[in-house]
């Protein structure tokens, strides 16, 4: 079996550089919500030693000295480019697991003339069609494919595509022996430290450990990792046919909110986004959860955190979902706190062809609702998200994220498309 893990290189930074070529060759970082921490770095920013998740305010001096460019996250752009990447990748194999915004697994078993040749073609095609660099790691298990991707990125000899099956066992073990355990998928910093103090500093040392001993000393998921490192498949591909269990939409505010009306606008907006995602996946929800919380780091302020859920007859109607979410908010809102975050979760999802008619609902209402929602989605997709919306979302949301330095939404807003000028 040949599993490939395709990962976009420095995805957010690459999307920015694609539409603004003046950014190429410069150290560039993309910041998280509210311009807090570094969430992506260009190769040049990595070379300066800027760490992932570093708080931006600690980098100001370095940034001035090296002219580091910092951009706010542009999720409309990254989300849209991600969809295009995944769509192109899906043409290379019928079995695809989209693992994150910039990564997916493909089953390349039996690819002609070879999985590695197919990997090179994938790399070439994504660059030609979308202008984004990707690396491909291929191996017999997901854990090994992740590592192979790491080698494809870090070792130039692989030219961006590494198929561990093309190497001899000795060569593979030599690579694993040079790789710290912290590089393994699912092994975080703390687990890596525990492994190191038990004498397993590199991947090869973990690979050679006895799986049952690992289970008793650590846990069953690390045991699976050891088996996967030895080529035994424990983690199956989760193709998109496997339905999502819930849809979450939430954000932190740019300032603490003390009164209910901006929270209502935010919750209505999150309910709207969540309902759009629900319809895009042809799902219905039967349970709407609303939650709010204060800022846990402001220990000088009173703390509060609460969630509530409302059950509904299966629906994907934005109006019903927002209504339920707002009712939930009114139930849990308490005066006297500074709220930092609110969110909406849709759970107990069912496929939209399993709709059970509500006893009191006329099927005519369902048809009208479907037609209205389809019209809203069409307008918002073609003319930009939020063109048609619920009045409850408000018209000038002050609670919206701070993103002072966001690039244009080149691919999803007509008024923000890139303009080419001939000089
Ligand atoms: Mg990536």
């Amino acid at each position: 079996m040949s599993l490939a893990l395709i990962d976009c290189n420095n995805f957010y930074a690459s999307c920015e550089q694609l539409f603004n070529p003046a950014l190429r060759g410069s150290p560039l970082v993309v910041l998280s919500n509210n311009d807090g921490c570094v969430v992506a770095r260009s190769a040049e920013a990595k070379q300066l030693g800027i760490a992932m998740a570093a708080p931006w305010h600690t980098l100001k001096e370095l940034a001035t000295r090296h002219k580091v460019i910092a951009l706010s996250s542009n999720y409309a752009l990254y989300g849209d480019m991600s969809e295009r990447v995944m769509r192109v990748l899906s043409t290379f194999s019928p079995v695809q697991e989209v693992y994150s915004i910039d990564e997916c697994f493909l089953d390349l078993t039996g690819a002609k003339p070879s999985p590695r040749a197919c990997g090179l073609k994938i790399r070439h095609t994504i660059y030609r069609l979308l202008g984004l660099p990707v690396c491909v790691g291929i191996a017999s298990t997901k854990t090994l494919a992740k590592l192979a991707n790491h080698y494809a990125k870090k070792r130039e000899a692989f030219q961006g595509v590494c198929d561990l099956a093309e190497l001899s066992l000795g060569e593979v073990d030599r690579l694993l022996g040079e790789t710290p355990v912290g590089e393994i998928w699912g092994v975080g910093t703390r687990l890596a430290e525990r492994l190191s103090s038990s004498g397993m500093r590199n991947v090869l040392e973990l690979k050679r450990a006895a799986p049952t001993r690992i289970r008793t000393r650590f846990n069953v998921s690390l045991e699976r990792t050891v088996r996967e490192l030895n080529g035994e498949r424990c983690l199956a591909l989760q193709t998109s046919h496997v339905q999502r269990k819930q849809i979450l939409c939430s954000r932190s505010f740019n300032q603490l909110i003390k009164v209910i009306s901006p929270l209502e606008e935010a919750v209505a907006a999150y309910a709207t986004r969540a309902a759009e995602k629900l319809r895009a996946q042809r799902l219905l929800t039967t349970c709407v959860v609303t939650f709010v919380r204060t800022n846990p780091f402001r220990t000088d302020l009173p703390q509060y955190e609460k969630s509530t859920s409302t059950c509904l007859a299966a629906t994907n109607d934005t109006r019903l979902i927002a209504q339920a979410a707002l009712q939930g908010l009114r139930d849990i809102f308490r005066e006297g706190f500074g709220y930092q975050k609110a969110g909406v979760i849709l759970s107990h999802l069912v496929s939209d062809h399993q709709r059970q008619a509500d006893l009191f609902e006329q099927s005519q209402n369902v048809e009208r609702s479907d037609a209205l929602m389809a019209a809203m989605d069409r307008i918002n997709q073609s003319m930009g998200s939020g063109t048609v919306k619920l009045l409850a979302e408000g018209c000038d949301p002050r609670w919206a994220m701070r993103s002072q330095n966001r690039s244009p939404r080149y691919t999803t807003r007509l008024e923000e498309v890139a303009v080419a000028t001939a000089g």
Side-chain angles (χ1 to χ4, degrees):
M1 191 160 193
S2 294
L3 295 181
L5 188 264
I6 298 100
D7 187 355
C8 299
N9 303 353
N10 318 321
F11 181 57
Y12 298 171
S14 299
C15 288
E16 297 289 353
Q17 289 169 325
L18 174 64
F19 285 94
N20 184 355
L23 297 173
R24 286 181 201 160
S26 324
L28 167 72
V29 297
V30 176
L31 302 177
S32 60
N33 290 346
N34 298 323
D35 295 346
C37 301
V38 172
V39 291
R41 305 157 295 162
S42 70
E44 297 77 12
K46 286 180 185 171
Q47 271 164 18
L48 290 176
I50 296 176
M52 199 63 169
W56 175 237
H57 68 89
T58 64
L59 299 170
K60 287 276 159 73
E61 197 208 336
L62 180 88
T64 324
R65 198 157 10 107
H66 295 280
K67 298 199 173 67
V68 178
I69 299 162
L71 294 173
S72 309
S73 320
N74 183 347
Y75 290 112
L77 177 65
Y78 313 147
D80 185 60
M81 292 308 293
S82 167
E83 263 174 43
R84 294 174 195 220
V85 169
M86 297 311 165
R87 214 178 311 136
V88 173
L89 290 175
S90 72
T91 62
F92 286 91
S93 166
V95 186
Q96 178 184 36
E97 174 188 340
V98 176
Y99 173 67
S100 74
I101 191 164
D102 72 330
E103 283 172 81
C104 91
F105 289 100
L106 288 181
D107 186 348
L108 296 184
T109 307
K112 298 275 178 285
S114 72
R116 182 163 193 279
C118 183
L120 287 164
K121 194 168 169 212
I122 286 173
R123 199 170 132 80
H124 179 73
T125 308
I126 296 283
Y127 194 76
R128 184 169 55 82
L129 296 180
L130 298 169
L132 292 172
V134 301
C135 281
V136 185
I138 307 169
S140 55
T141 67
K142 284 170 108 175
T143 305
L144 285 170
K146 275 276 212 183
L147 278 170
N149 191 283
H150 172 75
Y151 302 131
K153 278 215 182 84
K154 301 283 168 182
R155 303 192 180 225
E156 280 186 12
F158 290 118
Q159 295 176 300
V161 182
C162 169
D163 183 355
L164 292 182
E166 291 201 341
L167 306 180
S168 71
L169 197 57
E171 286 169 316
V172 173
D173 282 352
R174 192 174 49 78
L175 278 173
L176 300 185
E178 292 169 5
T179 313
V181 276
E183 289 295 339
I184 300 174
W185 191 28
V187 175
T189 323
R190 283 186 37 205
L191 183 53
E193 277 166 15
R194 273 184 67 200
L195 283 166
S196 293
S197 58
S198 312
M200 288 169 279
R201 269 166 227 92
N202 63 56
V203 182
L204 185 61
E205 285 165 337
L206 181 63
K207 177 186 167 182
R208 290 184 172 159
T212 45
R213 195 166 145 262
I214 291 292
R215 179 177 44 196
T216 44
R217 290 199 52 191
F218 295 90
N219 55 50
V220 68
S221 76
L222 193 64
E223 178 196 358
R224 275 198 291 263
T225 302
V226 173
R227 293 186 185 279
E228 286 240 318
L229 287 174
N230 285 283
E232 185 184 332
R233 258 188 312 284
C234 303
L235 304 168
L237 283 191
Q238 313 228 308
T239 55
S240 45
H241 307 297
V242 179
Q243 276 180 13
R244 287 172 60 168
K245 292 202 179 69
Q246 60 177 35
I247 291 173
L248 163 73
C249 197
S250 93
R251 287 277 159 79
S252 299
F253 305 124
N254 56 12
Q255 61 199 40
L256 298 182
I257 292 182
K258 301 209 168 71
V259 292
I260 197 169
S261 65
L263 282 176
E264 288 176 330
E265 292 181 1
V267 163
Y270 302 154
T272 302
R273 292 297 96 72
E276 280 169 2
K277 289 187 196 173
L278 191 68
R279 292 193 293 273
Q281 295 177 62
R282 315 200 120 270
L283 297 171
L284 305 169
T285 182
T286 56
C287 180
V288 179
V289 178
T290 312
F291 66 89
V292 290
R293 71 161 167 76
T294 51
N295 182 349
F297 297 107
R298 290 292 303 271
T299 46
D300 54 321
L301 296 175
Q303 297 289 314
Y304 177 69
E305 181 173 4
K306 185 98 181 150
S307 71
T308 184
S309 58
T310 310
C311 294
L312 296 171
T315 185
N316 61 12
D317 187 313
T318 296
R319 297 166 300 171
L320 299 175
I321 290 167
Q323 205 176 36
L326 285 168
Q327 188 52 54
L329 172 68
R330 288 167 197 143
D331 291 344
I332 57 177
F333 178 81
R334 297 287 176 272
E335 299 266 357
F337 297 100
Y339 292 92
Q340 192 220 9
K341 192 170 194 170
V344 172
I345 300 169
L346 306 182
S347 68
H348 299 79
L349 307 179
V350 295
S351 165
D352 69 357
H353 54 254
Q354 291 172 274
R355 180 173 349 224
Q356 278 180 333
D358 184 309
L359 199 56
F360 303 105
E361 192 173 37
Q362 308 288 328
S363 64
Q364 213 184 352
N365 285 349
V366 171
E367 278 166 29
R368 286 177 59 187
S369 155
D370 283 349
L372 179 64
M373 292 303 123
M376 262 177 79
D377 289 341
R378 262 199 315 276
I379 294 170
N380 287 335
Q381 272 157 21
S382 61
M383 302 179 71
S385 144
T387 305
V388 192
K389 62 180 178 182
L390 298 180
L391 193 56
E393 284 184 54
C395 296
D396 179 26
R398 277 164 300 140
W399 47 266
M401 284 200 290
R402 209 171 346 175
S403 44
Q404 286 174 341
N405 209 12
R406 181 180 48 68
S407 52
R409 288 160 287 191
Y410 299 105
T411 58
T412 50
R413 292 271 178 154
L414 195 54
E415 66 276 21
E416 295 182 23
V417 293
V419 177
T421 43

